[in-house]
């Protein structure tokens, strides 16, 4: 399969890319470091990617920014970061990409544990995650041409504890290799509309 991993240079994306490269043609796409450069907050940039990379079988998104901070201090502007990137960016990859990817292809988006198991400072990210998960479940029953869609919702990664560990006290961290498995299941399996919780 020809697989594009948006965010394929990040912590999760790199683990997924390393794994899928064993059996597939993988193109990493990201804002600054990928094989292909795009900005998911720009609809034009997404459309250009689909024009520049033809014949895609699977699109994986392992990206999506959000502001971490106390709800009492969260401004509408800070909340827009998650809306523009994690929510709209990922959703637009599907809305635009459904007209480009191959018949029988798939989309796999990324959410996260905090949509089910809230943490202090995580409201904005949780909001976007919940929106993405509901979008995935609903889109699955309408996508044409046997295109499938799933989302992977990981707990905090062992590899990210240095960065996020202080937000996830008492959570069970998961290794990137285990998280990568869920993306493999989504791409190589037959399921659709699933939220793969890797806790
Ligand atoms: N790490 C965790 O513990 C964890 C757990 C659960 C959920 N998640 C979620 O999983 C996603 C990925 O997390 P991560 O830790 O792997 O992130 P990361 O290491 O910071 O990597 C982010 C990736 O996204 C790319 N990117 C950033 N902004 C972009 C944009 N506007 N357009 C296109 N690409 C962009 C980066 O590209 P460049 O490097 O080229 O800029 C990089 O490849 C996030 O939504 C995060 O909330 C993470």
């Amino acid at each position: 399969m020809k697989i594009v991993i948006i965010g394929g240079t990040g912590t999760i994306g790199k683990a997924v890319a390393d794994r899928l490269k064993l059996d597939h043609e993988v193109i990493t796409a990201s804002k600054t470091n990928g094989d292909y450069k795009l900005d998911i907050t720009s609809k034009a940039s997404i459309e250009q990617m689909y024009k520049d990379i033809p014949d895609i079988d699977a699109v994986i998104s392992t990206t999506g920014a959000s502001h971490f901070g106390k709800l009492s201090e969260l401004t509408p502007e800070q909340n827009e970061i998650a809306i523009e990137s994690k929510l709209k960016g990922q959703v637009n990859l599907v809305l635009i990409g459904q007209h480009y990817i191959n018949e029988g292809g798939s989309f796999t988006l990324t959410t996260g544990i905090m949509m089910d198991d809230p943490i202090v400072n995580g409201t904005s990210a949780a909001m976007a995650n919940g929106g993405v998960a509901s979008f995935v479940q609903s889109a699955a029953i309408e996508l044409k041409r046997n295109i499938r869609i799933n989302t992977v919702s990981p707990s905090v990664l062992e590899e990210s504890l240095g960065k996020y560990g202080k937000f996830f006290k008492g959570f069970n961290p998961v290794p990137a290799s285990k998280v990568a498995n869920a993306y493999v299941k989504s791409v190589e399996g037959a399921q659709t509309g699933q939220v793969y919780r890797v806790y």
Side-chain angles (χ1 to χ4, degrees), residues 6-14 29-34 37-41 61-66 68 85-86 90 110-114 125 129 152-161 163-164 168 183:
I6 294 119
T9 60
T11 309
I12 295 177
K14 194 170 176 319
S30 76
K31 200 167 175 187
T32 52
N33 292 311
K37 316 275 187 293
L38 91 160
D39 180 355
I40 61 158
T41 64
S61 165
T62 55
T63 185
S66 54
F68 270 64
S85 180
K86 213 179 219 301
Q90 294 201 93
T110 298
T111 49
I113 191 170
M114 64 183 83
N129 284 338
V152 177
S153 178
S155 182
V156 64
L157 268 70
E158 286 176 5
E159 290 80 354
S160 300
L161 283 177
K163 208 161 143 192
Y164 302 125
F168 290 93
Y183 293 86

Side-chain angles (χ1 to χ4, degrees), residues 109-132:
L109 308 183
T110 298
T111 49
I113 191 170
M114 64 183 83
M115 69 180 179
D116 295 321
D117 201 355
I119 60 165
V120 170
N121 295 313
T123 306
S124 190
M127 168 203 67
N129 284 338
V132 170

